[in-house]
């Protein structure tokens, strides 16, 4: 009797654990997928001499939501920031502002579906704000990942 | 996180075509930074080579004189190993700038030993091997990439086991060593643009906040760094003013003292 109760509890606990692990793996897989798209966007720039950092930012946002990432940039370097999401019909954007909130990016940034990129040649060394945004998405939450490169 | 090379092999998606049909997206010319305060993510700590790259553009630097042969004591305290690991990875970037293959190979071995000491050796072994192989081939870009991967993998492995504080100490060790080298170069050949590279007040505040959240690490070197950052802060947090030569020299004295403390036993 006691054994049966133990087995039931054990099985319920195991099922819950498996479900949680599956959910966790799905969440991480999506952020990783978003990162893979961001890195794909970066790929052509490597040939132009940009060193792409291994580190990245990621998360999820609802349609119309924004996230600001603070980044130390150095005058003399040139930077590209690439944003990606795995949600194909999402529209995302990335823009760069200086510490006074003034748009600091070059005019050759681009945005196409689930990719976006912004380019900056800092006029001064200091903190900059990289604003990522999910403008439209068919999903309730849209995973995003931001990578950057410099030369 | 996956290695970047994996994505280089993904040729199916013609991302290059995106740039051909690129267009600038509309963005407001000005935003209110104060309104962002609740949505701002933590800063990403730049790698030393990001600063060294900017420094290189200001004039030729004799990187060989900044290569360090003393790679530090064998510590048992994990916070000390983490700080030293960050500093040694930064030394790797200096050795790459100097194109010093023997130093890079020594650093590759040292990084692996330290990573093992902190319990993340398994995730570092392939990177250490790749660093040594790339140094043998004098593939400096390859070494640079592997050093970046090493730091990211170490930190990721630590974060996975909820050792975020040690991960932050790796970043701090690297930042201090990078700042020591930067100030040494700029002290010898002062330029306003070189000194401006020290303008990193948010990064310094970030490290201060992180150190304040580590009261359990009762090591003298940690408290010494905490005190030193208080001294450095007003020297680099100068707004739009220029950082004078005496400030650069002072920061160099402070970071050199800390650097010595990180590699030697108390």
């Amino acid at each position: 009797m006691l054994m049966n109760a133990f087995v039931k509890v054990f099985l319920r606990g195991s099922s819950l654990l498996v479900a949680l692990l599956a959910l966790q793996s799905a969440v991480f897989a999506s952020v990783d997928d978003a990162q893979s798209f961001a890195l794909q966007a970066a790929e052509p720039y490597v040939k132009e001499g940009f060193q792409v950092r291994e580190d990245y930012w990621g998360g999820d946002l609802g349609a119309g939501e924004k996230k600001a990432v603070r980044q130390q940039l150095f005058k003399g370097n040139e930077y590209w920031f690439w944003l990606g999401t795995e949600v194909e019909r999402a529209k995302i954007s990335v823009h760069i502002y200086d510490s006074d909130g003034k748009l600091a990016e070059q005019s050759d940034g681009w945005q196409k579906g689930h990719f976006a990129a912004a380019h900056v040649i800092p006029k001064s060394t200091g903190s900059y704000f990289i604003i990522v945004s999910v403008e439209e998405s068919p999903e309730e939450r849209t995973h995003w990942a931001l990578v950057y490169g410099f030369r | 996180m996956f290695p970047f090379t994996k994505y280089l092999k993904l040729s199916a998606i013609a991302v290059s075509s995106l740039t051909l049909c690129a267009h600038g997206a509309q963005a407001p010319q000005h935003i209110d930074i104060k309104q962002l305060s609740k949505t701002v993510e933590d800063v990403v700590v730049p790698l030393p080579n990001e600063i060294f790259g900017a420094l290189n553009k200001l004039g030729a630097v004799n990187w060989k004189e900044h290569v360090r042969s003393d790679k530090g004591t064998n510590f048992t305290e994990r916070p000390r190993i983490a700080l030293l690991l960050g500093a040694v990875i930064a030394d790797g970037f200096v050795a790459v700038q100097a194109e010093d293959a023997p130093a890079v190979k020594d650093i590759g071995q040292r990084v692996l030993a330290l990573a093992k000491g902190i319990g993340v050796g398994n995730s570092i072994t392939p990177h250490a091997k790749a660093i040594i192989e790339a140094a043998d081939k004098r593939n400096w870009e390859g070494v640079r990439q592997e050093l970046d991967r090493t730091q990211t993998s170490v930190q990721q492995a630590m974060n996975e086991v909820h050792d975020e504080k040690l991960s932050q100490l790796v970043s701090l060790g690297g930042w201090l060593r990078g700042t020591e080298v930067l100030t040494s170069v700029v002290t010898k050949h002062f330029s306003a643009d070189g000194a401006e590279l020290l303008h990193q007040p948010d990064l310094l505040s970030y490290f201060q906040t992180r150190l304040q959240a580590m009261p359990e690490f009762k090591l003298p070197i940690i408290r010494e760094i905490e005190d030193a950052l208080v001294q450095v802060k007003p020297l680099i947090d100068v707004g739009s003013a220029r950082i004078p030569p005496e400030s650069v020299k002072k920061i160099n004295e402070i970071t050199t003292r800390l650097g010595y403390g990180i590699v030697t036993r108390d």
Side-chain angles (χ1 to χ4, degrees), chain A residues 54 67 77 97 111 125 127, chain B residues 1 23 28 41 50 196 202:
Chain A
E54 287 282 318
K67 190 87 177 172
N77 286 345
Y97 291 85
Q111 176 187 44
T125 294
S127 273
Chain B
M1 186 154 48
H23 63 279
E41 297 261 314
E50 219 168 307
E196 196 192 321
D202 287 345

Side-chain angles (χ1 to χ4, degrees), chain A residues 5-103:
Chain A
F6 172 77
V7 169
K8 275 182 187 173
V9 168
F10 177 77
L11 286 174
R12 277 181 199 157
S14 302
S15 310
L16 186 64
L17 187 66
V18 168
L20 281 172
L21 286 172
L23 180 66
Q24 190 189 30
S25 134
V27 168
F28 284 123
S30 296
V31 174
D32 283 346
D33 288 346
Q35 192 213 0
S36 79
F37 281 104
L39 287 172
Q40 284 173 32
E43 198 179 312
Y45 297 83
V46 175
K47 290 168 195 154
E48 294 176 24
F50 283 89
Q51 295 175 44
V52 179
R53 278 290 302 272
E54 287 282 318
D55 215 347
Y56 72 103
W57 303 267
D60 61 76
L61 288 168
E65 286 183 350
K66 290 179 180 182
K67 190 87 177 172
V69 169
R70 199 166 27 170
Q71 174 72 3
Q72 171 75 40
L73 301 183
F74 298 93
K75 183 182 169 185
N77 286 345
E78 181 183 355
Y79 298 84
W80 270 98
F81 289 82
W82 300 282
L83 181 66
T85 176
E86 83 285 6
V87 181
E88 274 192 37
R89 282 175 295 146
K91 189 181 170 194
I92 56 174
S93 69
V94 55
H95 295 289
I96 305 164
Y97 291 85
D98 67 17
S99 55
D100 295 323
K102 194 177 160 200
L103 190 67

Side-chain angles (χ1 to χ4, degrees), chain B residues 32 55 147 173 183 199 203 233 247 256 265:
Chain B
D32 186 355
L55 200 53
L147 284 167
T183 50
H199 189 244
L203 211 48
K233 185 81 185 281
S247 292
T256 302
R265 191 165 288 284

